[in-house]
Amino acid sequence: FRYMVIGLYVGFATVGIFVYWYCFDVSAPDQHTLVSMSELFGWGKCASWEGFSPKPFLDLTFDKDPCSYFAAGKVKASTLSLTVL
């Protein structure tokens, strides 16, 4: 039982902060672009989205490939996930 509780905490905490950074972090100092939950879950179809243009952050621009926002943003979100542990 103890390991199940710890596993649930680790799972929810790491995934939760990852999703929070992409979808809900309105007061972020880097002012990154927020996406909806459905966009985050369907990020693999980003190339077919019309009008998706994320703002630059961390000295990165996404003018040529807006979908690279999910690869670049993953660096910050993953760091936050590891910090939660």
Side-chain angles (χ1 to χ4, degrees):
F1 177 76
R2 169 178 43 179
Y3 297 114
M4 182 180 71
V5 171
I6 292 170
L8 286 172
Y9 164 75
V10 168
F12 281 117
T14 54
V15 172
I17 194 68
F18 193 92
V19 170
Y20 175 81
W21 187 85
Y22 271 111
C23 300
F24 304 108
D25 195 7
V26 294
S27 62
D30 61 13
Q31 298 180 355
H32 62 276
T33 302
L34 299 180
V35 296
S36 68
M37 290 289 283
S38 61
E39 288 173 331
L40 182 59
F41 291 151
W43 69 271
K45 298 177 182 173
C46 172
S48 66
W49 299 346
E50 291 185 24
F52 180 65
S53 179
K55 296 183 280 189
F57 80 98
L58 297 177
D59 297 328
L60 301 169
T61 59
F62 307 103
D63 298 333
K64 293 182 181 177
D65 182 16
C67 296
S68 66
Y69 173 70
F70 292 101
K74 184 173 69 173
V75 172
K76 176 74 176 207
S78 296
T79 301
L80 291 172
S81 292
L82 292 173
T83 304
V84 165
L85 296 178

